[in-house]
Every structure is written in structure tokens, then in C-alpha cells.
Amino acid sequence: MATISQPISQGGLQANERQAAVRKVLSYGVLFLLALTFIYPFLLAIATSFKSLPEINQFPVSLIPKEISLEGYRRLLNFNVPRWTINSGLVAVSVTLGNLLFASLGGYALARIRFPGSRAVFLGILGTMMIPGIVLLIPMFIVLKLLGFVDTYAGLIVPKLITAFSIFLMKQFFESVPRELEEAARIDGATPLQIFFRVVLPTAKPALVALTIFSFQGAWNDFMHPLIVITVNQSLFTLPLGLALLRGGMGQNLQWNSLMAGSMLTTLPMAIIFFVFQRYFIEGTSYSGIK
């Protein structure tokens, strides 16, 4: 019986292995097709930015340019793209630094300091995350108008210096830090600020990097907020707002290579930041609960 059952068992095992291998190949094939579906428009945008206008209008559309042309990028120089890029960088860096500072302080206070109404404050902050941003546009414009922040850098930066999400992210992280670290520092005579800046904050590197990426990405790509803040002064346009002007200004004579070149200039910094810090980005999402 043993000499008969053993070949049958081995044959069944080989069949299972073959089925597992087939399933694996099919899974990778489906994933490859899905990835290709998402990445093809991006590759086509890159290729279009390096094509001449006659080649763009040819059919069928080719993914690889027949001749590399930089006319789309050169035409961008006729617009105020360098100024838009500087504005986007200034706003994104300022907003990121503000979120890192204020969200760290606020998140630590909510995670560690017990004061009357602390839970109500946290629930109130969470509640603001449930309000659609589009609902707040008009009230925000009225407030900025009363403060004299319309058409100013302050209007672009100040309202974004702190967000409910950034406080929530940092609070979630600080709650995972062992209290023994703070108690040991307190026994050594450290003040609350020394405990925060010298003991707790250095352990928050993954959360801080994740918050940096979230904040910088949000500020760099933001379109609606600059749209309501900048009404007249086009020298304060950010890149997303400038690209919208570029498209609207050309009207029916829209030059796709210029528009795609501008899109690449907008996308490239965020792509570099994401690929360099993607490990921290994925780790940081675990604190925010984002799946």
C-alpha cells in the first residue's frame, strides 16, 4: 500500500504546485495590466511634453516621440512659470514647517496633558475633518477679506499652517510612545518643554516625515485655496493656478506640449519626494488609520 500511495501523493503535490504557480502568474499578469492602465496616461503626458505640435495631432498616438522637441518647455518661459514655481515652493515649505511645529505641540498636548474639556476639544477637531472643504470656501474668503489677507502671501499660508488631520496624526503617534521615557526624564529634572523637544520629539521621526510629505503634497497641489485667495494679483499665482490660466488663456489654440510640460514641472518634485521617503510615508499612514 505504501508503494502505491506514495507516487499518488507526490503527483497530487506536484499538481498543487502547478496550480499555485499558474495562479501566481495570473495574479501578476492582472496586476501588471492594472498598473499599466494607471501609468499609461502619465507616460503619455511625459511623451507629449517632448513632442512638436504637428506630431501631437498625428493619429494613431505614439508613446515614443519621433523627434525630441523642447518647444513646449521653451514656450513656458513666455509665461511667469519661474515665479509660479517660487510661489508654490514658498507656500509649500511654510505650510509644512507650520504643520510640523503646531501639530506636534497640539498632538502632544492632547495625547499626554489632561485638562478640563480635553476630550471635547479632540472630538471637536475630529468633527472638523468631517466637514467638506467646499463648504468652507465662502466663509474662509469672508474671513480673509476682513483680515486683509486677500491677494497676499499671508492669505495663502496662514490658514493652512495647521490642520485637524495633522493634529490627529501626531496625537495618534504620541500615544504610542512609552510613558516611561517621560517619567525617567522627569525624575532627572527635565521641564515639560525639555521632555517634549529632547526626549519625545526625536522618537517621532516616522510620523514627522509622513506629516512632511502629507503637508508638502497638499500645499503644492492645492488649487481651490489659492483660487479664492488670489483674485487680482497674478504675480502671486502658484503652479496649479498658473496652469489653469495657461489652459484658459490659450482657449481653442491650446498647445498640449506646453500644458503637459507645465504638468511635469508640477508633478516632478512630488514624485521625487514620494519615492525617496515612501518607506516613511507608508509607515506614517499606519498612525493615521489610512488604508
mmCIF file with all atom_site columns, all heavy atoms in Angstrom, residues 103-123:
data_model
loop_
_atom_site.group_PDB
_atom_site.id
_atom_site.type_symbol
_atom_site.label_atom_id
_atom_site.label_alt_id
_atom_site.label_comp_id
_atom_site.label_asym_id
_atom_site.label_entity_id
_atom_site.label_seq_id
_atom_site.pdbx_PDB_ins_code
_atom_site.Cartn_x
_atom_site.Cartn_y
_atom_site.Cartn_z
_atom_site.occupancy
_atom_site.B_iso_or_equiv
_atom_site.pdbx_formal_charge
_atom_site.auth_seq_id
_atom_site.auth_comp_id
_atom_site.auth_asym_id
_atom_site.auth_atom_id
_atom_site.pdbx_PDB_model_num
ATOM 1   N N   . ALA A 1 103 ? 1.279   71.086 14.865 1.00 0.00 ? 103 ALA A N   1
ATOM 2   C CA  . ALA A 1 103 ? 0.646   69.775 15.026 1.00 0.00 ? 103 ALA A CA  1
ATOM 3   C C   . ALA A 1 103 ? 1.375   68.944 16.076 1.00 0.00 ? 103 ALA A C   1
ATOM 4   O O   . ALA A 1 103 ? 0.741   68.180 16.818 1.00 0.00 ? 103 ALA A O   1
ATOM 5   C CB  . ALA A 1 103 ? 0.623   69.036 13.698 1.00 0.00 ? 103 ALA A CB  1
ATOM 6   N N   . SER A 1 104 ? 2.710   69.081 16.148 1.00 0.00 ? 104 SER A N   1
ATOM 7   C CA  . SER A 1 104 ? 3.457   68.350 17.167 1.00 0.00 ? 104 SER A CA  1
ATOM 8   C C   . SER A 1 104 ? 3.062   68.815 18.561 1.00 0.00 ? 104 SER A C   1
ATOM 9   O O   . SER A 1 104 ? 2.800   67.999 19.452 1.00 0.00 ? 104 SER A O   1
ATOM 10  C CB  . SER A 1 104 ? 4.963   68.545 16.961 1.00 0.00 ? 104 SER A CB  1
ATOM 11  O OG  . SER A 1 104 ? 5.358   68.054 15.714 1.00 0.00 ? 104 SER A OG  1
ATOM 12  N N   . LEU A 1 105 ? 3.009   70.131 18.746 1.00 0.00 ? 105 LEU A N   1
ATOM 13  C CA  . LEU A 1 105 ? 2.630   70.666 20.052 1.00 0.00 ? 105 LEU A CA  1
ATOM 14  C C   . LEU A 1 105 ? 1.186   70.290 20.407 1.00 0.00 ? 105 LEU A C   1
ATOM 15  O O   . LEU A 1 105 ? 0.903   69.832 21.524 1.00 0.00 ? 105 LEU A O   1
ATOM 16  C CB  . LEU A 1 105 ? 2.797   72.186 20.059 1.00 0.00 ? 105 LEU A CB  1
ATOM 17  C CG  . LEU A 1 105 ? 4.233   72.706 19.977 1.00 0.00 ? 105 LEU A CG  1
ATOM 18  C CD1 . LEU A 1 105 ? 4.248   74.206 19.735 1.00 0.00 ? 105 LEU A CD1 1
ATOM 19  C CD2 . LEU A 1 105 ? 5.002   72.363 21.255 1.00 0.00 ? 105 LEU A CD2 1
ATOM 20  N N   . GLY A 1 106 ? 0.279   70.482 19.452 1.00 0.00 ? 106 GLY A N   1
ATOM 21  C CA  . GLY A 1 106 ? -1.123  70.171 19.722 1.00 0.00 ? 106 GLY A CA  1
ATOM 22  C C   . GLY A 1 106 ? -1.371  68.688 19.942 1.00 0.00 ? 106 GLY A C   1
ATOM 23  O O   . GLY A 1 106 ? -2.108  68.297 20.861 1.00 0.00 ? 106 GLY A O   1
ATOM 24  N N   . GLY A 1 107 ? -0.730  67.866 19.110 1.00 0.00 ? 107 GLY A N   1
ATOM 25  C CA  . GLY A 1 107 ? -0.909  66.419 19.253 1.00 0.00 ? 107 GLY A CA  1
ATOM 26  C C   . GLY A 1 107 ? -0.358  65.907 20.570 1.00 0.00 ? 107 GLY A C   1
ATOM 27  O O   . GLY A 1 107 ? -0.973  65.057 21.233 1.00 0.00 ? 107 GLY A O   1
ATOM 28  N N   . TYR A 1 108 ? 0.796   66.445 20.982 1.00 0.00 ? 108 TYR A N   1
ATOM 29  C CA  . TYR A 1 108 ? 1.382   66.012 22.257 1.00 0.00 ? 108 TYR A CA  1
ATOM 30  C C   . TYR A 1 108 ? 0.507   66.446 23.430 1.00 0.00 ? 108 TYR A C   1
ATOM 31  O O   . TYR A 1 108 ? 0.311   65.686 24.390 1.00 0.00 ? 108 TYR A O   1
ATOM 32  C CB  . TYR A 1 108 ? 2.785   66.594 22.399 1.00 0.00 ? 108 TYR A CB  1
ATOM 33  C CG  . TYR A 1 108 ? 3.480   66.184 23.668 1.00 0.00 ? 108 TYR A CG  1
ATOM 34  C CD1 . TYR A 1 108 ? 3.939   64.886 23.831 1.00 0.00 ? 108 TYR A CD1 1
ATOM 35  C CD2 . TYR A 1 108 ? 3.682   67.087 24.705 1.00 0.00 ? 108 TYR A CD2 1
ATOM 36  C CE1 . TYR A 1 108 ? 4.579   64.486 24.998 1.00 0.00 ? 108 TYR A CE1 1
ATOM 37  C CE2 . TYR A 1 108 ? 4.329   66.702 25.872 1.00 0.00 ? 108 TYR A CE2 1
ATOM 38  C CZ  . TYR A 1 108 ? 4.768   65.398 26.004 1.00 0.00 ? 108 TYR A CZ  1
ATOM 39  O OH  . TYR A 1 108 ? 5.385   65.017 27.168 1.00 0.00 ? 108 TYR A OH  1
ATOM 40  N N   . ALA A 1 109 ? -0.009  67.666 23.362 1.00 0.00 ? 109 ALA A N   1
ATOM 41  C CA  . ALA A 1 109 ? -0.874  68.145 24.446 1.00 0.00 ? 109 ALA A CA  1
ATOM 42  C C   . ALA A 1 109 ? -2.120  67.279 24.573 1.00 0.00 ? 109 ALA A C   1
ATOM 43  O O   . ALA A 1 109 ? -2.520  66.913 25.684 1.00 0.00 ? 109 ALA A O   1
ATOM 44  C CB  . ALA A 1 109 ? -1.266  69.604 24.183 1.00 0.00 ? 109 ALA A CB  1
ATOM 45  N N   . LEU A 1 110 ? -2.733  66.920 23.466 1.00 0.00 ? 110 LEU A N   1
ATOM 46  C CA  . LEU A 1 110 ? -3.942  66.098 23.528 1.00 0.00 ? 110 LEU A CA  1
ATOM 47  C C   . LEU A 1 110 ? -3.644  64.664 23.934 1.00 0.00 ? 110 LEU A C   1
ATOM 48  O O   . LEU A 1 110 ? -4.501  63.987 24.523 1.00 0.00 ? 110 LEU A O   1
ATOM 49  C CB  . LEU A 1 110 ? -4.641  66.107 22.160 1.00 0.00 ? 110 LEU A CB  1
ATOM 50  C CG  . LEU A 1 110 ? -5.293  67.447 21.771 1.00 0.00 ? 110 LEU A CG  1
ATOM 51  C CD1 . LEU A 1 110 ? -5.747  67.406 20.320 1.00 0.00 ? 110 LEU A CD1 1
ATOM 52  C CD2 . LEU A 1 110 ? -6.472  67.738 22.685 1.00 0.00 ? 110 LEU A CD2 1
ATOM 53  N N   . ALA A 1 111 ? -2.441  64.185 23.628 1.00 0.00 ? 111 ALA A N   1
ATOM 54  C CA  . ALA A 1 111 ? -2.105  62.800 23.958 1.00 0.00 ? 111 ALA A CA  1
ATOM 55  C C   . ALA A 1 111 ? -1.643  62.630 25.397 1.00 0.00 ? 111 ALA A C   1
ATOM 56  O O   . ALA A 1 111 ? -1.856  61.590 26.014 1.00 0.00 ? 111 ALA A O   1
ATOM 57  C CB  . ALA A 1 111 ? -1.012  62.296 23.008 1.00 0.00 ? 111 ALA A CB  1
ATOM 58  N N   . ARG A 1 112 ? -1.032  63.680 25.968 1.00 0.00 ? 112 ARG A N   1
ATOM 59  C CA  . ARG A 1 112 ? -0.375  63.495 27.263 1.00 0.00 ? 112 ARG A CA  1
ATOM 60  C C   . ARG A 1 112 ? -0.914  64.386 28.387 1.00 0.00 ? 112 ARG A C   1
ATOM 61  O O   . ARG A 1 112 ? -0.867  64.015 29.550 1.00 0.00 ? 112 ARG A O   1
ATOM 62  C CB  . ARG A 1 112 ? 1.126   63.767 27.105 1.00 0.00 ? 112 ARG A CB  1
ATOM 63  C CG  . ARG A 1 112 ? 1.868   62.635 26.421 1.00 0.00 ? 112 ARG A CG  1
ATOM 64  C CD  . ARG A 1 112 ? 1.887   61.401 27.343 1.00 0.00 ? 112 ARG A CD  1
ATOM 65  N NE  . ARG A 1 112 ? 2.833   60.414 26.889 1.00 0.00 ? 112 ARG A NE  1
ATOM 66  C CZ  . ARG A 1 112 ? 2.510   59.353 26.168 1.00 0.00 ? 112 ARG A CZ  1
ATOM 67  N NH1 . ARG A 1 112 ? 1.244   59.161 25.817 1.00 0.00 ? 112 ARG A NH1 1
ATOM 68  N NH2 . ARG A 1 112 ? 3.431   58.483 25.786 1.00 0.00 ? 112 ARG A NH2 1
ATOM 69  N N   . ILE A 1 113 ? -1.409  65.560 28.055 1.00 0.00 ? 113 ILE A N   1
ATOM 70  C CA  . ILE A 1 113 ? -1.825  66.505 29.099 1.00 0.00 ? 113 ILE A CA  1
ATOM 71  C C   . ILE A 1 113 ? -3.326  66.386 29.326 1.00 0.00 ? 113 ILE A C   1
ATOM 72  O O   . ILE A 1 113 ? -4.114  66.499 28.381 1.00 0.00 ? 113 ILE A O   1
ATOM 73  C CB  . ILE A 1 113 ? -1.457  67.950 28.709 1.00 0.00 ? 113 ILE A CB  1
ATOM 74  C CG1 . ILE A 1 113 ? 0.054   68.064 28.480 1.00 0.00 ? 113 ILE A CG1 1
ATOM 75  C CG2 . ILE A 1 113 ? -1.909  68.924 29.796 1.00 0.00 ? 113 ILE A CG2 1
ATOM 76  C CD1 . ILE A 1 113 ? 0.493   69.420 27.969 1.00 0.00 ? 113 ILE A CD1 1
ATOM 77  N N   . ARG A 1 114 ? -3.701  66.127 30.561 1.00 0.00 ? 114 ARG A N   1
ATOM 78  C CA  . ARG A 1 114 ? -5.114  66.037 30.912 1.00 0.00 ? 114 ARG A CA  1
ATOM 79  C C   . ARG A 1 114 ? -5.586  67.392 31.434 1.00 0.00 ? 114 ARG A C   1
ATOM 80  O O   . ARG A 1 114 ? -5.090  67.878 32.449 1.00 0.00 ? 114 ARG A O   1
ATOM 81  C CB  . ARG A 1 114 ? -5.326  64.963 31.980 1.00 0.00 ? 114 ARG A CB  1
ATOM 82  C CG  . ARG A 1 114 ? -5.035  63.564 31.490 1.00 0.00 ? 114 ARG A CG  1
ATOM 83  C CD  . ARG A 1 114 ? -6.107  63.113 30.488 1.00 0.00 ? 114 ARG A CD  1
ATOM 84  N NE  . ARG A 1 114 ? -5.732  61.842 29.872 1.00 0.00 ? 114 ARG A NE  1
ATOM 85  C CZ  . ARG A 1 114 ? -5.281  61.744 28.609 1.00 0.00 ? 114 ARG A CZ  1
ATOM 86  N NH1 . ARG A 1 114 ? -5.150  62.816 27.867 1.00 0.00 ? 114 ARG A NH1 1
ATOM 87  N NH2 . ARG A 1 114 ? -4.962  60.571 28.105 1.00 0.00 ? 114 ARG A NH2 1
ATOM 88  N N   . PHE A 1 115 ? -6.484  68.020 30.731 1.00 0.00 ? 115 PHE A N   1
ATOM 89  C CA  . PHE A 1 115 ? -7.047  69.305 31.167 1.00 0.00 ? 115 PHE A CA  1
ATOM 90  C C   . PHE A 1 115 ? -8.556  69.261 30.940 1.00 0.00 ? 115 PHE A C   1
ATOM 91  O O   . PHE A 1 115 ? -9.055  68.449 30.132 1.00 0.00 ? 115 PHE A O   1
ATOM 92  C CB  . PHE A 1 115 ? -6.407  70.469 30.399 1.00 0.00 ? 115 PHE A CB  1
ATOM 93  C CG  . PHE A 1 115 ? -6.533  70.363 28.901 1.00 0.00 ? 115 PHE A CG  1
ATOM 94  C CD1 . PHE A 1 115 ? -7.635  70.880 28.228 1.00 0.00 ? 115 PHE A CD1 1
ATOM 95  C CD2 . PHE A 1 115 ? -5.531  69.741 28.162 1.00 0.00 ? 115 PHE A CD2 1
ATOM 96  C CE1 . PHE A 1 115 ? -7.730  70.785 26.859 1.00 0.00 ? 115 PHE A CE1 1
ATOM 97  C CE2 . PHE A 1 115 ? -5.632  69.635 26.780 1.00 0.00 ? 115 PHE A CE2 1
ATOM 98  C CZ  . PHE A 1 115 ? -6.731  70.156 26.132 1.00 0.00 ? 115 PHE A CZ  1
ATOM 99  N N   . PRO A 1 116 ? -9.313  70.096 31.658 1.00 0.00 ? 116 PRO A N   1
ATOM 100 C CA  . PRO A 1 116 ? -10.770 70.061 31.519 1.00 0.00 ? 116 PRO A CA  1
ATOM 101 C C   . PRO A 1 116 ? -11.206 70.302 30.068 1.00 0.00 ? 116 PRO A C   1
ATOM 102 O O   . PRO A 1 116 ? -10.792 71.264 29.437 1.00 0.00 ? 116 PRO A O   1
ATOM 103 C CB  . PRO A 1 116 ? -11.240 71.214 32.428 1.00 0.00 ? 116 PRO A CB  1
ATOM 104 C CG  . PRO A 1 116 ? -10.130 71.406 33.396 1.00 0.00 ? 116 PRO A CG  1
ATOM 105 C CD  . PRO A 1 116 ? -8.866  71.077 32.677 1.00 0.00 ? 116 PRO A CD  1
ATOM 106 N N   . GLY A 1 117 ? -11.996 69.377 29.565 1.00 0.00 ? 117 GLY A N   1
ATOM 107 C CA  . GLY A 1 117 ? -12.510 69.521 28.196 1.00 0.00 ? 117 GLY A CA  1
ATOM 108 C C   . GLY A 1 117 ? -11.569 69.031 27.124 1.00 0.00 ? 117 GLY A C   1
ATOM 109 O O   . GLY A 1 117 ? -11.790 69.290 25.937 1.00 0.00 ? 117 GLY A O   1
ATOM 110 N N   . SER A 1 118 ? -10.486 68.324 27.516 1.00 0.00 ? 118 SER A N   1
ATOM 111 C CA  . SER A 1 118 ? -9.516  67.875 26.505 1.00 0.00 ? 118 SER A CA  1
ATOM 112 C C   . SER A 1 118 ? -10.166 66.916 25.504 1.00 0.00 ? 118 SER A C   1
ATOM 113 O O   . SER A 1 118 ? -9.899  66.991 24.298 1.00 0.00 ? 118 SER A O   1
ATOM 114 C CB  . SER A 1 118 ? -8.324  67.194 27.186 1.00 0.00 ? 118 SER A CB  1
ATOM 115 O OG  . SER A 1 118 ? -8.747  66.071 27.938 1.00 0.00 ? 118 SER A OG  1
ATOM 116 N N   . ARG A 1 119 ? -11.034 66.025 26.016 1.00 0.00 ? 119 ARG A N   1
ATOM 117 C CA  . ARG A 1 119 ? -11.685 65.082 25.110 1.00 0.00 ? 119 ARG A CA  1
ATOM 118 C C   . ARG A 1 119 ? -12.651 65.809 24.167 1.00 0.00 ? 119 ARG A C   1
ATOM 119 O O   . ARG A 1 119 ? -12.747 65.483 22.986 1.00 0.00 ? 119 ARG A O   1
ATOM 120 C CB  . ARG A 1 119 ? -12.439 64.010 25.909 1.00 0.00 ? 119 ARG A CB  1
ATOM 121 C CG  . ARG A 1 119 ? -13.067 62.951 25.025 1.00 0.00 ? 119 ARG A CG  1
ATOM 122 C CD  . ARG A 1 119 ? -13.520 61.737 25.817 1.00 0.00 ? 119 ARG A CD  1
ATOM 123 N NE  . ARG A 1 119 ? -14.157 60.744 24.976 1.00 0.00 ? 119 ARG A NE  1
ATOM 124 C CZ  . ARG A 1 119 ? -13.518 59.931 24.171 1.00 0.00 ? 119 ARG A CZ  1
ATOM 125 N NH1 . ARG A 1 119 ? -12.196 59.961 24.123 1.00 0.00 ? 119 ARG A NH1 1
ATOM 126 N NH2 . ARG A 1 119 ? -14.167 59.057 23.430 1.00 0.00 ? 119 ARG A NH2 1
ATOM 127 N N   . ALA A 1 120 ? -13.362 66.814 24.706 1.00 0.00 ? 120 ALA A N   1
ATOM 128 C CA  . ALA A 1 120 ? -14.281 67.583 23.859 1.00 0.00 ? 120 ALA A CA  1
ATOM 129 C C   . ALA A 1 120 ? -13.511 68.342 22.779 1.00 0.00 ? 120 ALA A C   1
ATOM 130 O O   . ALA A 1 120 ? -13.957 68.444 21.631 1.00 0.00 ? 120 ALA A O   1
ATOM 131 C CB  . ALA A 1 120 ? -15.087 68.552 24.722 1.00 0.00 ? 120 ALA A CB  1
ATOM 132 N N   . VAL A 1 121 ? -12.334 68.859 23.147 1.00 0.00 ? 121 VAL A N   1
ATOM 133 C CA  . VAL A 1 121 ? -11.505 69.556 22.157 1.00 0.00 ? 121 VAL A CA  1
ATOM 134 C C   . VAL A 1 121 ? -11.081 68.603 21.044 1.00 0.00 ? 121 VAL A C   1
ATOM 135 O O   . VAL A 1 121 ? -11.167 68.928 19.842 1.00 0.00 ? 121 VAL A O   1
ATOM 136 C CB  . VAL A 1 121 ? -10.260 70.171 22.840 1.00 0.00 ? 121 VAL A CB  1
ATOM 137 C CG1 . VAL A 1 121 ? -9.278  70.708 21.794 1.00 0.00 ? 121 VAL A CG1 1
ATOM 138 C CG2 . VAL A 1 121 ? -10.670 71.274 23.794 1.00 0.00 ? 121 VAL A CG2 1
ATOM 139 N N   . PHE A 1 122 ? -10.648 67.400 21.447 1.00 0.00 ? 122 PHE A N   1
ATOM 140 C CA  . PHE A 1 122 ? -10.216 66.422 20.438 1.00 0.00 ? 122 PHE A CA  1
ATOM 141 C C   . PHE A 1 122 ? -11.379 66.007 19.539 1.00 0.00 ? 122 PHE A C   1
ATOM 142 O O   . PHE A 1 122 ? -11.224 65.909 18.313 1.00 0.00 ? 122 PHE A O   1
ATOM 143 C CB  . PHE A 1 122 ? -9.623  65.202 21.141 1.00 0.00 ? 122 PHE A CB  1
ATOM 144 C CG  . PHE A 1 122 ? -9.196  64.117 20.179 1.00 0.00 ? 122 PHE A CG  1
ATOM 145 C CD1 . PHE A 1 122 ? -8.215  64.365 19.230 1.00 0.00 ? 122 PHE A CD1 1
ATOM 146 C CD2 . PHE A 1 122 ? -9.783  62.866 20.231 1.00 0.00 ? 122 PHE A CD2 1
ATOM 147 C CE1 . PHE A 1 122 ? -7.825  63.369 18.346 1.00 0.00 ? 122 PHE A CE1 1
ATOM 148 C CE2 . PHE A 1 122 ? -9.399  61.867 19.350 1.00 0.00 ? 122 PHE A CE2 1
ATOM 149 C CZ  . PHE A 1 122 ? -8.416  62.127 18.400 1.00 0.00 ? 122 PHE A CZ  1
ATOM 150 N N   . LEU A 1 123 ? -12.564 65.769 20.151 1.00 0.00 ? 123 LEU A N   1
ATOM 151 C CA  . LEU A 1 123 ? -13.726 65.400 19.341 1.00 0.00 ? 123 LEU A CA  1
ATOM 152 C C   . LEU A 1 123 ? -14.135 66.542 18.406 1.00 0.00 ? 123 LEU A C   1
ATOM 153 O O   . LEU A 1 123 ? -14.568 66.310 17.271 1.00 0.00 ? 123 LEU A O   1
ATOM 154 C CB  . LEU A 1 123 ? -14.894 65.014 20.253 1.00 0.00 ? 123 LEU A CB  1
ATOM 155 C CG  . LEU A 1 123 ? -14.711 63.709 21.047 1.00 0.00 ? 123 LEU A CG  1
ATOM 156 C CD1 . LEU A 1 123 ? -15.900 63.465 21.960 1.00 0.00 ? 123 LEU A CD1 1
ATOM 157 C CD2 . LEU A 1 123 ? -14.510 62.528 20.091 1.00 0.00 ? 123 LEU A CD2 1
#
